[in-house]
Amino acid sequence: MDIKSYVPKDSLDYEHINELFTFDDEKIKPILPDLLDVIRYTDWSVTEGVLQVLSMHQKALLPLIDEKLKATYTDTSLKYAIVAYLLPFFDIEGKTDIINELKRIVSSPTKEETDGEVSFAAKELLKDDRIE
């Protein structure tokens, strides 16, 4: 079976969610960008399951998250979903790159990050994690 077939195609595509829970970092790594992209659809019912799967692969996912948060081309709906819905599952303490980027989003957000409420979500996350 093609690994890409495990990525949900629509809001009700739960067909492979349970199988995704059994994947180790190495097996899931090729589809992490696609799974991360799914979480932008916060109104999809399958998104909660995808968030849970992604939260199990923090080490493998952190470089991709860092890249998405730093990129100016990243859709703000994805940045918001990462900050507001995915990172609360993560232990970000000690993750300097992520923390620094969250601080940058709070202190010097782009217009898109302000308009998309990414800066507000980053501020709340840092406050909730008691990170100065």
Side-chain angles (χ1 to χ4, degrees):
M1 175 183 282
D2 178 29
I3 191 79
K4 295 273 188 182
S5 66
Y6 288 93
V7 178
K9 309 293 184 270
D10 59 54
S11 66
L12 301 174
D13 185 2
Y14 287 94
E15 185 175 354
H16 299 292
I17 288 291
N18 288 333
E19 291 171 83
L20 287 171
F21 280 106
T22 68
F23 285 20
D24 62 20
D25 283 356
E26 206 54 42
K27 187 170 183 179
I28 204 165
K29 204 171 202 168
I31 59 172
L32 282 177
D34 300 308
L35 291 171
L36 188 61
D37 195 53
V38 168
I39 70 168
R40 83 176 61 231
Y41 305 107
T42 57
D43 59 334
W44 283 17
S45 56
V46 74
T47 300
E48 183 64 33
V50 173
L51 285 166
Q52 291 173 7
V53 167
L54 291 174
S55 72
M56 296 170 52
H57 300 282
Q58 294 182 27
K59 186 176 180 181
L61 199 52
L62 282 172
L64 183 59
I65 289 172
D66 189 46
E67 173 191 322
K68 295 294 184 185
L69 292 179
K70 287 180 178 172
T72 55
Y73 62 83
T74 302
D75 182 335
T76 54
S77 65
L78 178 56
K79 278 189 182 184
Y80 181 82
I82 289 169
V83 174
Y85 298 109
L86 182 59
L87 286 179
F89 283 110
F90 281 41
D91 176 15
I92 63 168
E93 188 176 330
K95 308 295 190 270
T96 309
D97 289 345
I98 298 290
I99 291 170
N100 287 342
E101 190 55 24
L102 291 170
K103 287 179 177 180
R104 194 255 341 135
I105 290 170
V106 171
S107 65
S108 302
T110 64
K111 179 182 180 336
E112 293 80 12
E113 289 167 343
T114 301
D115 292 349
E117 298 188 2
V118 180
S119 58
F120 176 77
K123 182 178 180 181
E124 291 299 306
L125 179 63
L126 291 171
K127 182 176 77 174
D128 289 348
D129 282 355
R130 294 182 179 85
I131 296 172
E132 302 287 323

